Amino acid sequence: MTATMTMTAPTTAAVSTAAVPVLPDALSDEEIGRGLVRGDESCLAVAHRRWARLVHTLAARALGDPREAEDVTQQVFLAAWRGRAGYHPERGPVPAWLVGITRRKIADALTARTRRLDLVAAAGAALTPFPDTREGPEHVLDRLVVTRELARLPRVQRDVLTLAFFGDLTQVQIADRTGMPLGTVKSHARRGLQRMRRSLDAA
């Protein structure tokens, strides 16, 4: 009886241990990397939970815009998934690979921002910031004050608000015209208006 119980207990324990699944978040970096190469979507989800904050922090520091950083973060993990076959564990760990992708996506975002700003500047220059001579003196004064305050803003805020004030464009239209994400347009417009309001209050 005793011998039988002694043999049975380890067998039961072995079966019980084998039946316990490995939790995805408990995977090592190497296991996540191998899973990505195999096309395991759960490993992509774990990688996102583990390193999305790192990617977002790098992007936010480089771009100075949390919303653009969010876009870059999404692009990084999408690029990692699409290019997973190009990941080679022997060349470095997964976080280093993601940082490399992040740097490339940041460079792409900065290049796109330059193109957008050039487009906005060209569109703003094509607008007439000065009023029609048929407008009343109060309206003329208002527009001149707005023009003066716009000139004091950072370039991207100034360009967005120029399209809004003088181009009479909605934020959705500004986003369509410039290629900026709508959230970025709203953010620049809000910060620009806040700066103008503080300046006018001080005056």
PDB file of all heavy atoms in Angstrom, residues 8-44:
ATOM      1  N   THR A   8       2.653   6.728  -6.884  1.00  0.00           N
ATOM      2  CA  THR A   8       1.548   7.474  -7.497  1.00  0.00           C
ATOM      3  C   THR A   8       1.697   8.976  -7.317  1.00  0.00           C
ATOM      4  O   THR A   8       1.419   9.761  -8.209  1.00  0.00           O
ATOM      5  CB  THR A   8       0.205   7.021  -6.902  1.00  0.00           C
ATOM      6  OG1 THR A   8       0.078   5.630  -7.089  1.00  0.00           O
ATOM      7  CG2 THR A   8      -0.948   7.752  -7.549  1.00  0.00           C
ATOM      8  N   ALA A   9       2.179   9.408  -6.173  1.00  0.00           N
ATOM      9  CA  ALA A   9       2.244  10.833  -5.865  1.00  0.00           C
ATOM     10  C   ALA A   9       3.093  11.614  -6.854  1.00  0.00           C
ATOM     11  O   ALA A   9       2.656  12.619  -7.401  1.00  0.00           O
ATOM     12  CB  ALA A   9       2.750  11.029  -4.434  1.00  0.00           C
ATOM     13  N   PRO A  10       4.341  11.191  -7.206  1.00  0.00           N
ATOM     14  CA  PRO A  10       5.147  11.944  -8.165  1.00  0.00           C
ATOM     15  C   PRO A  10       4.508  11.998  -9.540  1.00  0.00           C
ATOM     16  O   PRO A  10       4.597  12.994 -10.238  1.00  0.00           O
ATOM     17  CB  PRO A  10       6.470  11.174  -8.215  1.00  0.00           C
ATOM     18  CG  PRO A  10       6.503  10.363  -6.971  1.00  0.00           C
ATOM     19  CD  PRO A  10       5.094  10.067  -6.647  1.00  0.00           C
ATOM     20  N   THR A  11       3.852  10.861  -9.937  1.00  0.00           N
ATOM     21  CA  THR A  11       3.207  10.842 -11.247  1.00  0.00           C
ATOM     22  C   THR A  11       2.131  11.890 -11.337  1.00  0.00           C
ATOM     23  O   THR A  11       2.020  12.633 -12.320  1.00  0.00           O
ATOM     24  CB  THR A  11       2.607   9.446 -11.513  1.00  0.00           C
ATOM     25  OG1 THR A  11       3.638   8.476 -11.383  1.00  0.00           O
ATOM     26  CG2 THR A  11       1.999   9.381 -12.892  1.00  0.00           C
ATOM     27  N   THR A  12       1.310  11.988 -10.293  1.00  0.00           N
ATOM     28  CA  THR A  12       0.238  12.986 -10.273  1.00  0.00           C
ATOM     29  C   THR A  12       0.807  14.388 -10.306  1.00  0.00           C
ATOM     30  O   THR A  12       0.312  15.273 -11.015  1.00  0.00           O
ATOM     31  CB  THR A  12      -0.628  12.811  -9.011  1.00  0.00           C
ATOM     32  OG1 THR A  12      -1.117  11.483  -8.972  1.00  0.00           O
ATOM     33  CG2 THR A  12      -1.774  13.796  -8.996  1.00  0.00           C
ATOM     34  N   ALA A  13       1.887  14.615  -9.556  1.00  0.00           N
ATOM     35  CA  ALA A  13       2.491  15.938  -9.520  1.00  0.00           C
ATOM     36  C   ALA A  13       3.042  16.314 -10.880  1.00  0.00           C
ATOM     37  O   ALA A  13       2.921  17.451 -11.333  1.00  0.00           O
ATOM     38  CB  ALA A  13       3.609  15.964  -8.461  1.00  0.00           C
ATOM     39  N   ALA A  14       3.637  15.353 -11.572  1.00  0.00           N
ATOM     40  CA  ALA A  14       4.210  15.629 -12.888  1.00  0.00           C
ATOM     41  C   ALA A  14       3.138  16.013 -13.881  1.00  0.00           C
ATOM     42  O   ALA A  14       3.278  16.950 -14.662  1.00  0.00           O
ATOM     43  CB  ALA A  14       4.986  14.405 -13.379  1.00  0.00           C
ATOM     44  N   VAL A  15       2.021  15.287 -13.839  1.00  0.00           N
ATOM     45  CA  VAL A  15       0.912  15.598 -14.745  1.00  0.00           C
ATOM     46  C   VAL A  15       0.363  16.977 -14.445  1.00  0.00           C
ATOM     47  O   VAL A  15       0.080  17.789 -15.335  1.00  0.00           O
ATOM     48  CB  VAL A  15      -0.189  14.537 -14.621  1.00  0.00           C
ATOM     49  CG1 VAL A  15      -1.417  14.956 -15.396  1.00  0.00           C
ATOM     50  CG2 VAL A  15       0.325  13.185 -15.115  1.00  0.00           C
ATOM     51  N   SER A  16       0.232  17.310 -13.143  1.00  0.00           N
ATOM     52  CA  SER A  16      -0.318  18.597 -12.746  1.00  0.00           C
ATOM     53  C   SER A  16       0.570  19.735 -13.206  1.00  0.00           C
ATOM     54  O   SER A  16       0.114  20.741 -13.711  1.00  0.00           O
ATOM     55  CB  SER A  16      -0.485  18.631 -11.219  1.00  0.00           C
ATOM     56  OG  SER A  16      -0.927  19.896 -10.806  1.00  0.00           O
ATOM     57  N   THR A  17       1.894  19.575 -13.059  1.00  0.00           N
ATOM     58  CA  THR A  17       2.833  20.624 -13.466  1.00  0.00           C
ATOM     59  C   THR A  17       2.812  20.822 -14.965  1.00  0.00           C
ATOM     60  O   THR A  17       2.828  21.944 -15.468  1.00  0.00           O
ATOM     61  CB  THR A  17       4.261  20.241 -13.014  1.00  0.00           C
ATOM     62  OG1 THR A  17       4.261  20.067 -11.610  1.00  0.00           O
ATOM     63  CG2 THR A  17       5.261  21.322 -13.403  1.00  0.00           C
ATOM     64  N   ALA A  18       2.747  19.734 -15.710  1.00  0.00           N
ATOM     65  CA  ALA A  18       2.750  19.833 -17.163  1.00  0.00           C
ATOM     66  C   ALA A  18       1.491  20.509 -17.669  1.00  0.00           C
ATOM     67  O   ALA A  18       1.479  21.110 -18.737  1.00  0.00           O
ATOM     68  CB  ALA A  18       2.880  18.439 -17.771  1.00  0.00           C
ATOM     69  N   ALA A  19       0.412  20.421 -16.907  1.00  0.00           N
ATOM     70  CA  ALA A  19      -0.852  20.984 -17.370  1.00  0.00           C
ATOM     71  C   ALA A  19      -0.942  22.490 -17.139  1.00  0.00           C
ATOM     72  O   ALA A  19      -1.833  23.142 -17.641  1.00  0.00           O
ATOM     73  CB  ALA A  19      -2.014  20.295 -16.646  1.00  0.00           C
ATOM     74  N   VAL A  20      -0.007  23.045 -16.347  1.00  0.00           N
ATOM     75  CA  VAL A  20      -0.048  24.481 -16.055  1.00  0.00           C
ATOM     76  C   VAL A  20       0.556  25.240 -17.236  1.00  0.00           C
ATOM     77  O   VAL A  20       1.733  25.048 -17.562  1.00  0.00           O
ATOM     78  CB  VAL A  20       0.740  24.816 -14.767  1.00  0.00           C
ATOM     79  CG1 VAL A  20       0.771  26.325 -14.561  1.00  0.00           C
ATOM     80  CG2 VAL A  20       0.103  24.117 -13.591  1.00  0.00           C
ATOM     81  N   PRO A  21      -0.220  26.097 -17.921  1.00  0.00           N
ATOM     82  CA  PRO A  21       0.325  26.816 -19.076  1.00  0.00           C
ATOM     83  C   PRO A  21       1.277  27.920 -18.635  1.00  0.00           C
ATOM     84  O   PRO A  21       1.178  28.437 -17.534  1.00  0.00           O
ATOM     85  CB  PRO A  21      -0.926  27.417 -19.736  1.00  0.00           C
ATOM     86  CG  PRO A  21      -1.885  27.593 -18.597  1.00  0.00           C
ATOM     87  CD  PRO A  21      -1.634  26.451 -17.657  1.00  0.00           C
ATOM     88  N   VAL A  22       2.215  28.275 -19.507  1.00  0.00           N
ATOM     89  CA  VAL A  22       3.128  29.383 -19.237  1.00  0.00           C
ATOM     90  C   VAL A  22       2.403  30.686 -19.571  1.00  0.00           C
ATOM     91  O   VAL A  22       1.907  30.864 -20.677  1.00  0.00           O
ATOM     92  CB  VAL A  22       4.409  29.266 -20.097  1.00  0.00           C
ATOM     93  CG1 VAL A  22       5.315  30.465 -19.865  1.00  0.00           C
ATOM     94  CG2 VAL A  22       5.131  27.971 -19.777  1.00  0.00           C
ATOM     95  N   LEU A  23       2.304  31.586 -18.590  1.00  0.00           N
ATOM     96  CA  LEU A  23       1.615  32.849 -18.816  1.00  0.00           C
ATOM     97  C   LEU A  23       2.402  33.695 -19.812  1.00  0.00           C
ATOM     98  O   LEU A  23       3.633  33.803 -19.697  1.00  0.00           O
ATOM     99  CB  LEU A  23       1.463  33.605 -17.494  1.00  0.00           C
ATOM    100  CG  LEU A  23       0.578  32.921 -16.445  1.00  0.00           C
ATOM    101  CD1 LEU A  23       0.589  33.726 -15.151  1.00  0.00           C
ATOM    102  CD2 LEU A  23      -0.833  32.753 -16.956  1.00  0.00           C
ATOM    103  N   PRO A  24       1.734  34.317 -20.786  1.00  0.00           N
ATOM    104  CA  PRO A  24       2.453  35.097 -21.796  1.00  0.00           C
ATOM    105  C   PRO A  24       3.354  36.167 -21.201  1.00  0.00           C
ATOM    106  O   PRO A  24       4.476  36.372 -21.653  1.00  0.00           O
ATOM    107  CB  PRO A  24       1.313  35.709 -22.628  1.00  0.00           C
ATOM    108  CG  PRO A  24       0.178  34.762 -22.458  1.00  0.00           C
ATOM    109  CD  PRO A  24       0.302  34.263 -21.058  1.00  0.00           C
ATOM    110  N   ASP A  25       2.885  36.885 -20.158  1.00  0.00           N
ATOM    111  CA  ASP A  25       3.687  37.957 -19.579  1.00  0.00           C
ATOM    112  C   ASP A  25       4.904  37.433 -18.843  1.00  0.00           C
ATOM    113  O   ASP A  25       5.785  38.203 -18.462  1.00  0.00           O
ATOM    114  CB  ASP A  25       2.826  38.807 -18.641  1.00  0.00           C
ATOM    115  CG  ASP A  25       1.891  39.730 -19.420  1.00  0.00           C
ATOM    116  OD1 ASP A  25       2.247  40.067 -20.562  1.00  0.00           O
ATOM    117  OD2 ASP A  25       0.831  40.089 -18.898  1.00  0.00           O
ATOM    118  N   ALA A  26       4.960  36.123 -18.600  1.00  0.00           N
ATOM    119  CA  ALA A  26       6.111  35.541 -17.924  1.00  0.00           C
ATOM    120  C   ALA A  26       7.192  35.126 -18.910  1.00  0.00           C
ATOM    121  O   ALA A  26       8.252  34.642 -18.508  1.00  0.00           O
ATOM    122  CB  ALA A  26       5.676  34.337 -17.090  1.00  0.00           C
ATOM    123  N   LEU A  27       6.957  35.305 -20.193  1.00  0.00           N
ATOM    124  CA  LEU A  27       7.932  34.923 -21.208  1.00  0.00           C
ATOM    125  C   LEU A  27       9.184  35.789 -21.092  1.00  0.00           C
ATOM    126  O   LEU A  27       9.119  36.966 -20.767  1.00  0.00           O
ATOM    127  CB  LEU A  27       7.330  35.089 -22.604  1.00  0.00           C
ATOM    128  CG  LEU A  27       6.156  34.179 -22.971  1.00  0.00           C
ATOM    129  CD1 LEU A  27       5.600  34.571 -24.333  1.00  0.00           C
ATOM    130  CD2 LEU A  27       6.581  32.722 -22.968  1.00  0.00           C
ATOM    131  N   SER A  28      10.308  35.202 -21.400  1.00  0.00           N
ATOM    132  CA  SER A  28      11.554  35.965 -21.438  1.00  0.00           C
ATOM    133  C   SER A  28      11.617  36.767 -22.739  1.00  0.00           C
ATOM    134  O   SER A  28      10.844  36.519 -23.676  1.00  0.00           O
ATOM    135  CB  SER A  28      12.749  35.021 -21.365  1.00  0.00           C
ATOM    136  OG  SER A  28      12.820  34.226 -22.544  1.00  0.00           O
ATOM    137  N   ASP A  29      12.547  37.712 -22.796  1.00  0.00           N
ATOM    138  CA  ASP A  29      12.710  38.503 -24.009  1.00  0.00           C
ATOM    139  C   ASP A  29      13.034  37.602 -25.206  1.00  0.00           C
ATOM    140  O   ASP A  29      12.529  37.821 -26.320  1.00  0.00           O
ATOM    141  CB  ASP A  29      13.829  39.536 -23.836  1.00  0.00           C
ATOM    142  CG  ASP A  29      13.494  40.601 -22.799  1.00  0.00           C
ATOM    143  OD1 ASP A  29      12.365  40.562 -22.259  1.00  0.00           O
ATOM    144  OD2 ASP A  29      14.345  41.473 -22.543  1.00  0.00           O
ATOM    145  N   GLU A  30      13.870  36.591 -24.953  1.00  0.00           N
ATOM    146  CA  GLU A  30      14.245  35.677 -26.039  1.00  0.00           C
ATOM    147  C   GLU A  30      13.041  34.895 -26.550  1.00  0.00           C
ATOM    148  O   GLU A  30      12.868  34.704 -27.770  1.00  0.00           O
ATOM    149  CB  GLU A  30      15.319  34.701 -25.552  1.00  0.00           C
ATOM    150  CG  GLU A  30      16.662  35.341 -25.239  1.00  0.00           C
ATOM    151  CD  GLU A  30      16.672  36.081 -23.901  1.00  0.00           C
ATOM    152  OE1 GLU A  30      15.692  35.941 -23.124  1.00  0.00           O
ATOM    153  OE2 GLU A  30      17.641  36.810 -23.634  1.00  0.00           O
ATOM    154  N   GLU A  31      12.187  34.453 -25.632  1.00  0.00           N
ATOM    155  CA  GLU A  31      10.989  33.710 -26.031  1.00  0.00           C
ATOM    156  C   GLU A  31      10.026  34.600 -26.814  1.00  0.00           C
ATOM    157  O   GLU A  31       9.384  34.158 -27.775  1.00  0.00           O
ATOM    158  CB  GLU A  31      10.304  33.138 -24.791  1.00  0.00           C
ATOM    159  CG  GLU A  31      11.071  31.989 -24.150  1.00  0.00           C
ATOM    160  CD  GLU A  31      10.511  31.594 -22.786  1.00  0.00           C
ATOM    161  OE1 GLU A  31      10.022  32.482 -22.055  1.00  0.00           O
ATOM    162  OE2 GLU A  31      10.553  30.389 -22.471  1.00  0.00           O
ATOM    163  N   ILE A  32       9.932  35.848 -26.419  1.00  0.00           N
ATOM    164  CA  ILE A  32       9.077  36.784 -27.158  1.00  0.00           C
ATOM    165  C   ILE A  32       9.612  36.960 -28.571  1.00  0.00           C
ATOM    166  O   ILE A  32       8.851  36.951 -29.548  1.00  0.00           O
ATOM    167  CB  ILE A  32       9.016  38.143 -26.440  1.00  0.00           C
ATOM    168  CG1 ILE A  32       8.279  38.002 -25.113  1.00  0.00           C
ATOM    169  CG2 ILE A  32       8.313  39.191 -27.315  1.00  0.00           C
ATOM    170  CD1 ILE A  32       8.304  39.255 -24.261  1.00  0.00           C
ATOM    171  N   GLY A  33      10.936  37.108 -28.688  1.00  0.00           N
ATOM    172  CA  GLY A  33      11.543  37.267 -30.006  1.00  0.00           C
ATOM    173  C   GLY A  33      11.291  36.071 -30.906  1.00  0.00           C
ATOM    174  O   GLY A  33      10.909  36.222 -32.066  1.00  0.00           O
ATOM    175  N   ARG A  34      11.470  34.882 -30.357  1.00  0.00           N
ATOM    176  CA  ARG A  34      11.220  33.672 -31.148  1.00  0.00           C
ATOM    177  C   ARG A  34       9.750  33.567 -31.524  1.00  0.00           C
ATOM    178  O   ARG A  34       9.404  33.140 -32.638  1.00  0.00           O
ATOM    179  CB  ARG A  34      11.676  32.438 -30.372  1.00  0.00           C
ATOM    180  CG  ARG A  34      13.190  32.318 -30.220  1.00  0.00           C
ATOM    181  CD  ARG A  34      13.596  30.917 -29.775  1.00  0.00           C
ATOM    182  NE  ARG A  34      13.067  30.600 -28.450  1.00  0.00           N
ATOM    183  CZ  ARG A  34      13.723  30.829 -27.318  1.00  0.00           C
ATOM    184  NH1 ARG A  34      14.925  31.382 -27.345  1.00  0.00           N
ATOM    185  NH2 ARG A  34      13.196  30.496 -26.146  1.00  0.00           N
ATOM    186  N   GLY A  35       8.873  33.960 -30.589  1.00  0.00           N
ATOM    187  CA  GLY A  35       7.446  33.919 -30.884  1.00  0.00           C
ATOM    188  C   GLY A  35       7.053  34.883 -31.987  1.00  0.00           C
ATOM    189  O   GLY A  35       6.216  34.559 -32.845  1.00  0.00           O
ATOM    190  N   LEU A  36       7.671  36.058 -31.986  1.00  0.00           N
ATOM    191  CA  LEU A  36       7.383  37.027 -33.051  1.00  0.00           C
ATOM    192  C   LEU A  36       7.787  36.474 -34.413  1.00  0.00           C
ATOM    193  O   LEU A  36       7.041  36.588 -35.391  1.00  0.00           O
ATOM    194  CB  LEU A  36       8.134  38.337 -32.782  1.00  0.00           C
ATOM    195  CG  LEU A  36       7.570  39.240 -31.689  1.00  0.00           C
ATOM    196  CD1 LEU A  36       8.519  40.404 -31.418  1.00  0.00           C
ATOM    197  CD2 LEU A  36       6.197  39.775 -32.081  1.00  0.00           C
ATOM    198  N   VAL A  37       8.973  35.885 -34.468  1.00  0.00           N
ATOM    199  CA  VAL A  37       9.446  35.325 -35.731  1.00  0.00           C
ATOM    200  C   VAL A  37       8.505  34.225 -36.220  1.00  0.00           C
ATOM    201  O   VAL A  37       8.253  34.095 -37.424  1.00  0.00           O
ATOM    202  CB  VAL A  37      10.886  34.783 -35.576  1.00  0.00           C
ATOM    203  CG1 VAL A  37      11.327  34.057 -36.843  1.00  0.00           C
ATOM    204  CG2 VAL A  37      11.855  35.923 -35.267  1.00  0.00           C
ATOM    205  N   ARG A  38       7.940  33.459 -35.273  1.00  0.00           N
ATOM    206  CA  ARG A  38       6.984  32.394 -35.644  1.00  0.00           C
ATOM    207  C   ARG A  38       5.639  32.964 -36.074  1.00  0.00           C
ATOM    208  O   ARG A  38       4.821  32.253 -36.653  1.00  0.00           O
ATOM    209  CB  ARG A  38       6.761  31.447 -34.466  1.00  0.00           C
ATOM    210  CG  ARG A  38       7.931  30.566 -34.094  1.00  0.00           C
ATOM    211  CD  ARG A  38       7.466  29.418 -33.199  1.00  0.00           C
ATOM    212  NE  ARG A  38       6.698  29.900 -32.057  1.00  0.00           N
ATOM    213  CZ  ARG A  38       7.229  30.236 -30.880  1.00  0.00           C
ATOM    214  NH1 ARG A  38       8.549  30.147 -30.713  1.00  0.00           N
ATOM    215  NH2 ARG A  38       6.477  30.644 -29.881  1.00  0.00           N
ATOM    216  N   GLY A  39       5.382  34.229 -35.766  1.00  0.00           N
ATOM    217  CA  GLY A  39       4.091  34.816 -36.105  1.00  0.00           C
ATOM    218  C   GLY A  39       3.065  34.659 -35.004  1.00  0.00           C
ATOM    219  O   GLY A  39       1.853  34.673 -35.267  1.00  0.00           O
ATOM    220  N   ASP A  40       3.521  34.554 -33.758  1.00  0.00           N
ATOM    221  CA  ASP A  40       2.635  34.397 -32.613  1.00  0.00           C
ATOM    222  C   ASP A  40       2.126  35.779 -32.175  1.00  0.00           C
ATOM    223  O   ASP A  40       2.888  36.597 -31.648  1.00  0.00           O
ATOM    224  CB  ASP A  40       3.392  33.723 -31.468  1.00  0.00           C
ATOM    225  CG  ASP A  40       2.479  33.359 -30.302  1.00  0.00           C
ATOM    226  OD1 ASP A  40       1.391  33.961 -30.180  1.00  0.00           O
ATOM    227  OD2 ASP A  40       2.857  32.471 -29.508  1.00  0.00           O
ATOM    228  N   GLU A  41       0.843  36.046 -32.405  1.00  0.00           N
ATOM    229  CA  GLU A  41       0.291  37.359 -32.092  1.00  0.00           C
ATOM    230  C   GLU A  41       0.300  37.652 -30.597  1.00  0.00           C
ATOM    231  O   GLU A  41       0.376  38.819 -30.193  1.00  0.00           O
ATOM    232  CB  GLU A  41      -1.141  37.471 -32.642  1.00  0.00           C
ATOM    233  CG  GLU A  41      -1.213  37.449 -34.156  1.00  0.00           C
ATOM    234  CD  GLU A  41      -2.627  37.664 -34.665  1.00  0.00           C
ATOM    235  OE1 GLU A  41      -3.514  37.982 -33.845  1.00  0.00           O
ATOM    236  OE2 GLU A  41      -2.846  37.524 -35.879  1.00  0.00           O
ATOM    237  N   SER A  42       0.217  36.621 -29.760  1.00  0.00           N
ATOM    238  CA  SER A  42       0.243  36.861 -28.316  1.00  0.00           C
ATOM    239  C   SER A  42       1.593  37.427 -27.896  1.00  0.00           C
ATOM    240  O   SER A  42       1.681  38.235 -26.970  1.00  0.00           O
ATOM    241  CB  SER A  42      -0.054  35.562 -27.555  1.00  0.00           C
ATOM    242  OG  SER A  42       0.975  34.606 -27.753  1.00  0.00           O
ATOM    243  N   CYS A  43       2.656  37.041 -28.595  1.00  0.00           N
ATOM    244  CA  CYS A  43       3.982  37.591 -28.292  1.00  0.00           C
ATOM    245  C   CYS A  43       4.070  39.057 -28.700  1.00  0.00           C
ATOM    246  O   CYS A  43       4.746  39.852 -28.040  1.00  0.00           O
ATOM    247  CB  CYS A  43       5.062  36.772 -29.002  1.00  0.00           C
ATOM    248  SG  CYS A  43       5.329  35.142 -28.259  1.00  0.00           S
ATOM    249  N   LEU A  44       3.386  39.416 -29.764  1.00  0.00           N
ATOM    250  CA  LEU A  44       3.334  40.829 -30.147  1.00  0.00           C
ATOM    251  C   LEU A  44       2.628  41.639 -29.067  1.00  0.00           C
ATOM    252  O   LEU A  44       3.069  42.740 -28.711  1.00  0.00           O
ATOM    253  CB  LEU A  44       2.611  40.990 -31.481  1.00  0.00           C
ATOM    254  CG  LEU A  44       2.397  42.441 -31.948  1.00  0.00           C
ATOM    255  CD1 LEU A  44       3.734  43.113 -32.227  1.00  0.00           C
ATOM    256  CD2 LEU A  44       1.501  42.472 -33.189  1.00  0.00           C
TER     257      LEU A  44
END
